[in-house]
Amino acid sequence: MTKRVVRHDVIREIIRRGNYKTQRDLAEQLRLEGYDCTQATVSRDIKVMGVAKSRDGYYVLPEDMQLKRMVGELVESVETVDNWLVIKTPSGIASGVTVALDDAQLQGVVGTIAGDNTIFVMTRSTLDAEHIADIIRKLQNNRD
């Protein structure tokens, strides 16, 4: 992987972990994590990644906005079994939600399988499965 791809992955994780409103804050967090880059580099990265600002002024990832919309509206339940998640949706909807999950590139996810109304998500560990399930539950609870 190139330095830029790795840096984009780190930026994704930083944005998902905390609330950042400025490029300077993101650049500082990158420096704390061992990535020495300028604010101009962060600005280019944000543009290339399609990062937007929420109504509250915090950076959000486009794939997370899509995931929030899909999960908030369409996921009926989520359950963990060892390092697997079983996600239930209305009939005919599972593949669309799976695309949103895949696009979000959630850390710890190995792969997904969609049926008509059921999604299986394989994670690297039981801890990863619980973490992903928590993310999905939070998105479900933030239904507008």
Side-chain angles (χ1 to χ4, degrees):
M1 278 194 261
T2 66
K3 278 180 20 178
R4 185 173 124 182
V5 170
V6 171
R7 190 174 61 247
H8 286 189
D9 287 344
V10 172
I11 290 171
R12 271 187 202 89
E13 288 304 311
I14 289 171
I15 290 172
R16 285 181 176 141
R17 276 195 323 251
N19 295 323
Y20 296 92
K21 287 188 172 186
T22 68
Q23 293 174 5
R24 185 176 54 192
D25 291 341
L26 283 176
E28 178 59 29
Q29 188 61 41
L30 278 165
R31 274 192 279 288
L32 291 173
E33 297 195 22
Y35 296 87
D36 191 26
C37 54
T38 65
Q39 185 175 338
T41 300
V42 171
S43 178
R44 280 190 301 273
D45 288 342
I46 287 171
K47 187 173 183 174
V48 167
M49 293 171 67
V51 173
K53 289 251 184 150
S54 69
R55 284 180 247 175
D56 299 330
Y58 296 107
Y59 286 115
V60 292
L61 300 165
E63 59 267 26
D64 288 356
M65 291 187 301
Q66 174 69 7
L67 182 63
K68 179 179 179 179
R69 190 168 32 255
M70 297 292 281
V71 168
E73 294 175 11
L74 302 171
V75 169
E76 295 174 340
S77 67
V78 61
E79 186 177 336
T80 58
V81 180
D82 296 324
N83 64 316
W84 287 87
L85 280 86
V86 180
I87 301 169
K88 293 290 190 172
T89 70
S91 184
I93 302 297
S95 64
V97 175
T98 302
V99 169
L101 283 166
D102 289 341
D103 288 348
Q105 300 175 26
L106 298 171
Q107 195 169 38
V109 172
V110 176
T112 57
I113 302 169
D116 180 60
N117 69 336
T118 305
I119 303 165
F120 291 105
V121 180
M122 181 183 197
T123 63
R124 297 193 185 287
S125 69
T126 303
L127 188 61
D128 286 334
E130 288 296 335
H131 177 69
I132 302 296
D134 287 343
I135 290 170
I136 291 169
R137 288 182 188 116
K138 284 178 188 171
L139 294 174
Q140 277 184 293
N141 292 332
N142 287 326
R143 294 177 184 183
D144 292 327

